[in-house]
Amino acid sequence: MARLNVKPTRMELSNLKDRLSISTRGHKLLKDKQDELMRQFIVLIRKNNELRDEVETELTESMRAFVIAKSLLNESFIEELFSVPDTSVTLDIQEKNIMSVMVPEMNFTVDEDDKESEMKYGLLNSNSELDDSIDRISVILPKLLKLSEIEKTCQLMADEIEKTRRRVNALEYLKIPQLKETIHYIQMKLEEDERANITRIMKVKDMGQ
Amino acid sequence: MQDTQYKGVNTLLRVYETQLLTREDYEKMLRAENLSEALEALKSTEYLIDEQELLEHKTFDGFLMQRLKNLYEELYSVTPDSEVVQIYTLRYTYHNLKVLLKQKFTDQDLEHLLIHIGKYPVSTLRHLVNTGQSDELNPIMIEGVTGAIEDFETYGRLETADVFMDTYYYKHMRAITDRLNNATITKMADAMIDLDNLSTVVRSINQNKSRSFLHTVLSSSGTIPKKALIDAADDGAINVLNSLYLDKTYSKRLEAVVVESKDNINPMVLDKVIDEIVDDLMEEAKYQAFGPMPVMAFMFAIEKEVTNIRLILVGKDNQIDEDIIRERMRPIYGS
């Protein structure tokens, strides 16, 4: 381990000791942060996996039902039915702080004014199977939106965990050992100087007698 | 119009009928392992397909609509009374009107959704939607479009286009069949409108829609009054069927639509049965040389052929089970 390129003085020793103390405290704090982030990340990942499995299963079934329904209708008819959405959804994103990671908190608001009408689309060029598949997709939609929120949170937390891990490792395996080694070197050097000085004084004293 | 005036077109259609897909053609497509094999079976037919293009982009409606467009154009040019052909092309015309109205209401570009099939070109329909006037178009269509525009301008409801166009489609169809005064065509329109109303009732009940919704979407152009349908719907779909449809000539066919537990109607089966009932009515056309019925039967056959081909191709493309495809197949001509 390379020691730092500093002059072996008492001032430098004092500075390095301060830096070591800060680094050790920082390391402990970052380690705690990493542990807590990991704990929360694991909880979120479990939730994410469950939700993803659920959404994927339901979505596959709904899309299958939709494909069967649309196979009986002209593609232009279906596109026309949904060309003008019957409801509008507003997305309000707020930031939430998890261990200093700013994660999104998404709030979806369905415009109630648009829900006045019961008619989502014309019934002439559609069929019952299309109704079912659209209903199923509508049921999944809130879960899908929730999944997007959790996945984004997991992604941001994973980035932060990675960053924290690098910092912890840098402190643990590089910074702190370097500081310790340099402090040790300066202490040795100063003690050596001290001993040399005493020896020199003793010699001078001997010469005077 | 004299029935003998149809002898020319009917002779031509007898030739065209031989070009329709047979049961063997469908079997070949249904048994295909994948989309490529199913398309292979279509190569020997009248459909002009570009296999590579279809395998890449899966735009099945392109060649299917082209085939329909060519046939309807020819039928318009050879059929003595164009309104006979209009019975089938009205669906496309009213679809185009919906697209144009939605374009007008929302300023969106929906041009790619227009289907160029029908008696009148899209430019004539566009003129009607833009100005609310037309010298060429049927007054019923003009009334529907101007009504939709007025309603939208008053209440700002976007679903107006769907509600008005669906309602006026049936009104227009009824007006044509009344004028044609052909017993079978009238029976066909009666069955189609009444059964579409039944399908609407079933779908509305399944989706817990209100009475006012039913009042908006049901057509008054059928033989069963709208009020009777709405009242009967209060006690469930099966009550509507038992109280209003059992005296119909096609009631035997409707037995198939009742679910096993006998307390509801299967709307998917109902959609198929509607086509089977119309197919039964078209049966007589096979032995007629004069009159508009062979034209009607041919148009029905080609529409169902297009539906079946689309169903099989989409099914094969998405690895849907053969049984699921089979149970949704529409009547096949000559079987």
Side-chain angles (χ1 to χ4, degrees):
Chain A
M1 184 66 58
R3 61 168 190 261
L4 298 171
N5 186 19
V6 288
K7 289 199 174 88
T9 60
R10 286 191 186 279
M11 181 67 88
E12 212 46 76
L13 180 66
S14 164
N15 280 345
L16 288 178
K17 278 185 174 167
D18 285 350
R19 277 173 69 187
L20 179 63
S21 143
I22 291 168
S23 296
T24 315
R25 240 179 72 212
H27 174 257
K28 191 188 171 303
L29 283 172
L30 282 172
K31 189 88 183 149
D32 288 350
K33 179 184 172 181
Q34 188 189 6
D35 291 348
E36 180 57 18
L37 274 174
M38 277 306 286
R39 194 188 64 77
Q40 297 216 22
F41 183 70
I42 288 166
V43 173
L44 269 175
I45 281 289
R46 281 209 187 108
K47 205 167 155 191
N48 182 57
N49 279 350
E50 276 168 26
L51 201 57
R52 181 166 261 280
D53 281 349
E54 202 179 324
V55 168
E56 270 182 5
T57 314
E58 286 175 26
L59 205 57
T60 311
E61 279 171 23
S62 313
M63 289 313 286
R64 206 173 176 77
F66 180 72
V67 164
I68 295 171
K70 89 176 188 123
S71 65
L72 289 165
L73 297 162
N74 190 309
E75 191 111 9
S76 299
F77 286 170
I78 297 177
E79 266 200 68
E80 182 274 319
L81 295 176
F82 303 109
S83 58
V84 182
D86 69 315
T87 45
S88 59
V89 179
T90 325
L91 170 61
D92 174 32
I93 300 183
Q94 284 175 340
E95 287 188 332
K96 196 167 69 175
N97 192 334
I98 300 179
M99 300 298 296
S100 78
V101 187
M102 299 309 277
V103 296
E105 197 174 49
M106 301 179 185
N107 294 308
F108 297 91
T109 323
V110 178
D111 201 335
E112 289 300 324
D113 291 346
D114 292 345
K115 294 217 76 159
E116 263 179 27
S117 164
E118 287 187 87
M119 185 127 174
K120 292 184 191 162
Y121 45 82
L123 297 187
L124 177 63
N125 293 324
S126 56
N127 57 37
S128 59
E129 290 189 273
L130 193 73
D131 297 345
D132 292 343
S133 62
I134 297 300
D135 279 350
R136 288 166 82 165
I137 291 172
S138 308
V139 171
I140 306 166
L141 194 66
K143 287 184 191 167
L144 196 65
L145 297 174
K146 185 75 194 157
L147 180 66
S148 68
E149 182 186 326
I150 293 180
E151 285 213 344
K152 186 70 196 165
T153 307
C154 286
Q155 203 180 37
L156 290 168
M157 285 182 75
D159 286 348
E160 187 64 23
I161 289 170
E162 178 66 18
K163 228 188 282 176
T164 314
R165 195 178 59 81
R166 280 176 196 280
R167 284 182 186 154
V168 169
N169 285 349
L171 284 172
E172 190 172 338
Y173 299 109
L174 192 76
K175 213 75 195 166
I176 295 175
Q178 267 181 352
L179 287 169
K180 279 184 175 166
E181 196 180 322
T182 315
I183 288 169
H184 180 71
Y185 161 73
I186 296 176
Q187 278 173 341
M188 291 293 114
K189 185 82 181 157
L190 288 176
E191 281 172 18
E192 181 60 26
D193 286 353
E194 190 72 16
R195 280 193 295 275
N197 203 24
I198 290 170
T199 314
R200 189 176 53 79
I201 292 168
M202 283 167 73
K203 281 278 180 202
V204 171
K205 199 176 171 188
D206 286 349
M207 281 165 74
Q209 281 177 353
Chain B
M1 178 117 359
Q2 295 253 316
D3 278 357
T4 47
Q5 284 184 284
Y6 283 89
K7 65 180 184 216
V9 60
N10 289 350
T11 313
L12 178 75
L13 290 182
R14 293 299 174 217
V15 178
Y16 282 180
E17 279 169 6
T18 60
Q19 296 169 354
L20 291 169
L21 265 64
T22 60
R23 191 162 278 279
E24 287 76 49
D25 293 322
Y26 284 119
E27 280 302 321
K28 223 187 279 177
M29 289 175 76
L30 280 165
R31 280 197 298 267
E33 289 287 320
N34 49 40
L35 177 61
S36 178
E37 263 184 49
L39 285 171
E40 197 64 39
L42 263 186
K43 276 187 180 165
S44 54
T45 65
E46 287 299 305
Y47 290 90
L48 301 169
I49 57 165
D50 178 348
E51 195 181 340
Q52 276 318 104
E53 156 80 15
L54 287 173
L55 286 172
E56 201 175 325
H57 296 109
K58 319 282 168 70
T59 48
F60 307 125
D61 273 318
F63 79 91
L64 293 173
M65 285 301 109
Q66 191 55 48
R67 167 96 167 128
L68 279 183
K69 185 174 184 280
N70 295 344
L71 282 171
Y72 280 125
E73 273 172 10
E74 189 161 2
L75 286 175
Y76 269 119
S77 64
V78 293
T79 309
D81 191 339
S82 66
E83 284 199 321
V84 173
V85 187
Q86 249 196 312
I87 292 178
Y88 276 93
T89 61
L90 271 184
R91 192 174 276 260
Y92 301 104
T93 306
Y94 278 85
H95 158 79
N96 287 340
L97 285 170
K98 274 189 203 177
V99 172
L100 293 167
L101 283 169
K102 286 185 179 178
Q103 263 196 164
K104 183 183 169 80
F105 295 164
T106 62
D107 283 330
Q108 283 186 77
D109 180 12
L110 304 172
E111 291 292 310
H112 62 289
L113 301 180
L114 293 167
I115 300 173
H116 297 270
I117 292 176
K119 186 179 177 185
Y120 302 101
V122 170
S123 56
T124 311
L125 303 179
R126 196 190 306 277
H127 179 76
L128 169 64
V129 171
N130 289 340
T131 62
Q133 291 169 341
S134 176
D135 299 330
E136 286 176 70
L137 297 170
N138 190 301
I140 295 174
M141 197 182 279
I142 299 172
E143 189 187 307
V145 171
T146 49
I149 295 171
E150 271 171 32
D151 189 274
F152 178 75
E153 283 169 356
T154 315
Y155 303 106
R157 295 181 294 213
L158 283 167
E159 70 269 21
T160 293
D162 288 320
V163 175
F164 272 78
M165 290 306 101
D166 288 1
T167 307
Y168 278 83
Y169 160 75
Y170 288 118
K171 259 191 197 175
H172 198 156
M173 189 206 271
R174 171 55 69 204
I176 291 175
T177 54
D178 284 350
R179 197 192 62 76
L180 289 173
N181 197 24
N182 175 298
T184 315
I185 295 178
T186 303
K187 246 192 260 175
M188 183 199 82
D190 288 347
M192 275 170 74
I193 301 171
D194 287 342
L195 291 166
D196 277 354
N197 274 343
L198 178 62
S199 174
T200 302
V201 168
V202 177
R203 288 169 65 185
S204 304
I205 291 173
N206 289 349
Q207 294 192 305
N208 298 318
K209 303 285 187 192
S210 63
R211 276 174 74 96
S212 62
F213 175 79
L214 274 177
H215 189 79
T216 312
V217 293
L218 286 176
S219 168
S220 333
S221 305
T223 60
I224 302 169
K226 199 151 100 168
K227 191 174 177 314
L229 281 165
I230 298 170
D231 288 342
D234 283 343
D235 295 321
I238 210 79
N239 181 51
V240 179
L241 180 71
N242 290 336
S243 58
L244 301 169
Y245 286 85
L246 287 188
D247 60 334
K248 302 288 176 197
T249 49
Y250 47 76
S251 59
K252 194 87 186 134
R253 279 269 188 199
L254 291 174
E255 284 172 12
V257 305
V258 181
V259 295
E260 247 177 82
S261 54
K262 310 264 179 213
D263 57 356
N264 206 351
I265 289 174
N266 183 334
M268 190 265 283
V269 179
L270 177 60
D271 288 344
K272 187 175 174 169
V273 165
I274 295 174
D275 283 338
E276 287 170 356
I277 289 168
V278 177
D279 188 53
D280 290 346
L281 291 168
M282 295 297 137
E283 197 65 20
E284 68 174 70
K286 283 183 187 163
Y287 311 104
Q288 285 182 5
F290 306 110
M293 277 316 290
V295 182
M296 292 293 296
F298 179 74
M299 289 189 296
F300 177 74
I302 194 74
E303 284 283 348
K304 294 308 131 190
E305 180 174 288
V306 163
T307 306
N308 284 334
I309 294 174
R310 188 191 296 113
L311 172 66
I312 297 174
L313 294 183
V314 172
K316 291 292 163 193
D317 185 33
N318 292 281
Q319 290 91 42
I320 308 277
D321 282 352
E322 199 181 309
D323 293 342
I324 296 177
I325 301 176
R326 274 183 198 278
E327 67 180 357
R328 284 164 179 77
M329 289 278 288
R330 296 311 194 235
I332 297 167
Y333 180 80
S335 61

